[in-house]
Amino acid sequence: MPVNQDVIITCALTGAGDTVGRSPHVPVTPEQIAASAVEAAGAGAAVVHIHVREPETGAPSRDPRLYREVLERIRETGTDVVINLTAGMGGDLVIDPEAPLRQLPGTDLVSGLDRLPHVEELLPDICTLDCGSLNFGDGSNLYVSTPDMLRTGAKRIQELGVRPELEIFDTGQLWFAKQLLTEGLLDDPTVFQLCMGIPWGAPADPGVLQSMVNMLPRGAQWASFALGRMQMPWVAQSILLGGHVRVGLEDNLYLGKGVKATNGQLVERAVRITESLGSRVATPDEAREKLGLRPRA
């Protein structure tokens, strides 16, 4: 697999994890998330991956009004960046291990279609499709995305003309994503995000990443990321295997030991790694062409 010469950098701005109290730089309000998106784009990110949070508490949210405000604030600045909205919220199931049919606080589990109202309303360039269920970390927290949910969601995203970014947390999920393609529920070019190091999915192991890359359908565009201190090594790892990259505070809070990062600083570091490998950073328009997106309005 040749080194990727033209690298799309995605910045995952805030995520849904319990990170707000761990760094002052994690954006919470729509104003902060939009400002962070503009900062990341100015640093070299062609794509921003957006979650929203409840402004008062920092808790993850699925409120379309918050997504709309973020997008409006980004567009008001005139910033050219590809918009990637999460559609993974609504899959959390926390069970009582002693009484598994009882749901515990933290559960937010809705149907595949009920994870898409903000996508239907705002029609972003890209939205995510998490391609399978997973034991999500230790304890009793599950992420639920069944084959039936995925078929329903993929069909609706296809009808909307939005490009799904296929979030892959383990090899079986990649196998099923290829089945969606076989069934005509995905359009070319397929876009994959290989998510590494999330307990208990695919480990951040170069051999595992190579195996997943070998499984990708012909012509796929792909990126990968890893969590925490592996974020920047994974920028190089992805490029060397022919892929694009993702950085950002959703996945890692630090520039170095004890040094809290901003999204812009993480993108700047990814740009330096990319260029040090002899590659160049793709512009938003180049990203749109590679990913088969609509031209900028």
Side-chain angles (χ1 to χ4, degrees), residues 28-130:
V28 173
T29 68
E31 182 178 12
Q32 291 169 346
I33 294 168
S36 200
V38 171
E39 177 197 22
V47 181
V48 287
H49 174 57
I50 299 172
H51 289 247
V52 293
R53 295 176 179 267
E54 294 295 339
E56 296 80 14
T57 66
S61 175
R62 293 187 280 112
D63 189 340
R65 294 173 298 176
L66 297 175
Y67 283 102
R68 176 173 287 281
E69 183 178 348
V70 172
L71 266 57
E72 288 175 347
R73 287 181 177 275
I74 293 171
R75 287 165 180 156
E76 284 171 0
T77 70
T79 299
D80 183 15
V81 69
V82 175
I83 299 296
N84 176 338
L85 299 185
T86 185
M89 304 298 295
D92 292 316
L93 173 61
V94 186
I95 65 169
D96 183 338
E98 302 302 322
L101 293 180
R102 186 164 75 94
Q103 298 179 8
L104 297 180
T107 293
D108 178 29
L109 185 60
V110 298
S111 72
L113 288 182
D114 286 338
R115 302 178 195 187
L116 296 174
H118 60 302
V119 177
E120 294 177 327
E121 179 180 337
L122 301 172
L123 297 178
D125 302 294
I126 301 167
C127 74
T128 61
L129 185 66
D130 291 30

Side-chain angles (χ1 to χ4, degrees), residues 7 11 15 89 95 103 119 122 138 158 172 178 187 191 197 215 242 246 250 267 271 281 285 288 294:
V7 177
C11 186
M89 304 298 295
I95 65 169
Q103 298 179 8
V119 177
L122 301 172
D138 277 334
Q158 188 180 53
K178 292 167 69 175
D187 298 321
V191 177
M215 291 176 64
R246 168 172 139 173
E250 177 172 349
V267 173
V271 169
V281 175
D285 278 341
R288 292 184 183 99
R294 299 180 300 266

Side-chain angles (χ1 to χ4, degrees), residues 162-295:
V162 174
R163 179 72 63 196
E165 180 183 76
L166 305 165
E167 304 285 297
I168 305 296
F169 294 86
D170 215 340
T171 52
Q173 297 184 5
L174 179 48
W175 182 13
F176 185 75
K178 292 167 69 175
Q179 179 64 25
L180 292 177
L181 180 62
T182 298
E183 294 176 13
L185 295 170
L186 302 173
D187 298 321
D188 288 323
T190 48
V191 177
F192 288 82
Q193 183 70 253
L194 307 179
C195 312
M196 315 294 287
I198 294 89
W200 297 103
D205 178 282
V208 175
L209 179 60
Q210 178 70 77
S211 295
M212 295 172 80
V213 171
N214 291 345
M215 291 176 64
L216 291 168
R218 184 179 300 275
Q221 294 287 329
W222 68 275
S224 73
F225 71 89
L227 298 187
R229 65 184 182 86
M230 293 300 292
Q231 184 173 80
M232 292 306 163
W234 225 250
V235 170
Q237 187 67 63
S238 299
I239 294 170
L240 291 172
L241 290 179
H244 305 291
V245 304
R246 168 172 139 173
V247 295
L249 294 174
E250 177 172 349
D251 308 318
N252 166 49
L253 300 177
Y254 294 92
L255 270 180
K257 187 174 182 178
V259 181
K260 300 287 179 65
T262 68
N263 278 311
Q265 289 170 331
L266 293 172
V267 173
E268 288 170 355
R269 180 73 58 84
V271 169
R272 290 201 295 273
I273 293 170
T274 299
E275 293 177 343
S276 72
L277 293 173
S279 300
R280 58 180 295 278
V281 175
T283 67
D285 278 341
E286 290 168 338
R288 292 184 183 99
E289 183 176 357
K290 284 179 176 288
L291 302 178
L293 306 178
R294 299 180 300 266

